[in-house]
Amino acid sequence: MEKRFLLFYCLISLFYISSCGRTEADKIDESPIESPAYDFQLVSSKTQASLETLLQFSFQGKLPTDITNINWDFGDGVTFYGNYNTNNVYHSFKTLGNNTVKVKILYNNGKSVEKSIIVNITNNNQIKINKISITKVPQTSKPYYIFYGTYTVQDYFSGDWDQSYNRNTSDINRFADVYIELFKLRDIADISDPHNIITDSSELIYKSAIKTNQQNLIYDFSSSNLILNIESLKKLKIKIKDSEAGNSMLEDGGIDEEMRIDDILPNQFQALNQITINSNGWIYSIDYTKL
């Protein structure tokens, strides 16, 4: 009995001495242990791409669930301050060189983590549109009406673009006053929310001068620097139009008429610097240079 009491007394004494001799630095940190860091990376669909190519940025690995904000800096002056949405983000670059894309993730405890990736933007795979030459314009078919007392019959008259069945066919103004509009279509990120894509976004890149009465239908773009990035291009839309502002037998001051619309796809620019359209009475060519 005495031995047990002596042993107990010795243990109590040792514990008291050990506690009294401990400094602040030696005391046990009883604050909660933080969870291990989440192992995730910022990745891009491409780390090298040509100008205007739409890139997809996403997270790879295990993401935390207590995110309050995800803020993006694409390194080209464009930023996006988002919420907790961890879905893919899209962006395209309009300047050459290395761009450091940074993302800052904020947690609800006030802490944050930053990730980054470098994307190299090049001017590879480009073409320059030099000239469009129209060598044949077909006649068009226009409706006209025959009145028989209380009823009307519609018929069609085939003739030149500004000509009708009861107009003088020798009038020079029976021909169209032709101009061309060029549009490039590509997929772009939604500016208001780059988690979304706007498909086939259309941008007018050139509007030519008017060639009156279908004369000298050669449109020289060589000094206009019309450069297309094939990697990002969905299609080049060509609109051939008839101006109704004046010199028109039928519609002076009316709405310009769309004579023909063509969509040129990127793979069509594989020929030897020229594409020829020969369809429905139209013949015209597109001259370009591979850069």
Side-chain angles (χ1 to χ4, degrees), residues 9 36 47 60 113 142 154 191 216 235-236 241 271 290:
Y9 178 79
T47 55
Q60 190 175 78
V113 65
K142 296 182 183 295
Q154 178 178 299
I191 296 176
N216 190 30
K235 61 185 72 171
L236 172 68
K241 303 176 92 172
K290 295 181 180 180

Side-chain angles (χ1 to χ4, degrees), residues 107-129:
Y107 305 122
N108 58 17
N109 62 2
K111 295 185 178 182
S112 65
V113 65
E114 292 188 4
K115 300 288 184 178
S116 65
I117 189 171
I118 296 175
V119 178
N120 182 30
I121 303 302
T122 70
N123 57 358
N124 296 333
N125 203 10
Q126 293 181 317
I127 62 162
K128 180 183 178 183
I129 305 294

Side-chain angles (χ1 to χ4, degrees), residues 76-139:
D76 59 354
V78 178
T79 56
F80 172 64
Y81 296 97
N83 50 23
Y84 51 83
N85 191 342
T86 60
N87 292 337
N88 299 334
V89 164
Y90 302 90
H91 187 69
S92 56
F93 296 90
K94 295 184 178 181
T95 55
L96 298 172
N98 288 329
N99 294 270
T100 301
V101 179
K102 298 178 182 178
V103 62
K104 185 175 183 179
I105 300 178
L106 289 81
Y107 305 122
N108 58 17
N109 62 2
K111 295 185 178 182
S112 65
V113 65
E114 292 188 4
K115 300 288 184 178
S116 65
I117 189 171
I118 296 175
V119 178
N120 182 30
I121 303 302
T122 70
N123 57 358
N124 296 333
N125 203 10
Q126 293 181 317
I127 62 162
K128 180 183 178 183
I129 305 294
N130 297 319
K131 182 173 62 176
I132 292 181
S133 304
I134 302 175
T135 55
K136 185 178 180 181
V137 178
Q139 289 189 322

Side-chain angles (χ1 to χ4, degrees), residues 83-266:
N83 50 23
Y84 51 83
N85 191 342
T86 60
N87 292 337
N88 299 334
V89 164
Y90 302 90
H91 187 69
S92 56
F93 296 90
K94 295 184 178 181
T95 55
L96 298 172
N98 288 329
N99 294 270
T100 301
V101 179
K102 298 178 182 178
V103 62
K104 185 175 183 179
I105 300 178
L106 289 81
Y107 305 122
N108 58 17
N109 62 2
K111 295 185 178 182
S112 65
V113 65
E114 292 188 4
K115 300 288 184 178
S116 65
I117 189 171
I118 296 175
V119 178
N120 182 30
I121 303 302
T122 70
N123 57 358
N124 296 333
N125 203 10
Q126 293 181 317
I127 62 162
K128 180 183 178 183
I129 305 294
N130 297 319
K131 182 173 62 176
I132 292 181
S133 304
I134 302 175
T135 55
K136 185 178 180 181
V137 178
Q139 289 189 322
T140 185
S141 181
K142 296 182 183 295
Y144 72 95
Y145 303 92
I146 303 173
F147 300 97
Y148 295 97
T150 59
Y151 66 95
T152 303
V153 176
Q154 178 178 299
D155 202 348
Y156 287 88
F157 168 80
S158 295
D160 294 308
W161 286 86
D162 282 337
Q163 179 184 351
S164 69
Y165 79 101
N166 62 354
R167 294 298 178 100
N168 184 355
T169 57
S170 64
D171 191 329
I172 189 65
N173 288 325
R174 72 185 185 275
F175 296 110
D177 303 314
V178 185
Y179 67 96
I180 293 177
E181 290 180 339
L182 301 180
F183 300 81
K184 67 177 179 182
L185 278 71
R186 61 190 181 94
D187 294 342
I188 63 172
D190 187 338
I191 296 176
S192 61
D193 184 359
H195 293 291
N196 301 318
I197 297 175
I198 300 174
T199 59
D200 291 342
S201 174
S202 179
E203 178 186 350
L204 175 65
I205 59 174
Y206 193 82
K207 181 177 180 178
S208 76
I210 297 171
K211 304 283 189 175
T212 57
N213 299 317
Q214 295 176 209
Q215 297 180 17
N216 190 30
L217 299 182
I218 298 174
Y219 302 86
D220 189 346
F221 309 133
S222 58
S223 63
S224 301
N225 206 33
L226 287 180
I227 295 175
L228 299 176
N229 300 291
I230 296 301
E231 186 176 355
S232 63
L233 184 70
K234 295 286 287 295
K235 61 185 72 171
L236 172 68
K237 185 178 290 292
I238 301 175
K239 291 186 177 183
I240 303 175
K241 303 176 92 172
D242 176 17
S243 172
E244 306 294 358
N247 302 315
S248 174
M249 293 181 66
L250 300 178
E251 301 171 305
D252 276 357
I255 298 174
D256 291 354
E257 182 179 3
E258 291 183 343
M259 303 171 70
R260 183 177 176 91
I261 300 176
D262 285 297
D263 289 335
I264 310 299
L265 302 178

Side-chain angles (χ1 to χ4, degrees), residues 22-34:
R22 183 178 294 166
T23 65
E24 286 295 323
D26 296 327
K27 288 185 178 179
I28 298 173
D29 182 6
E30 297 179 346
S31 60
I33 299 175
E34 293 187 4

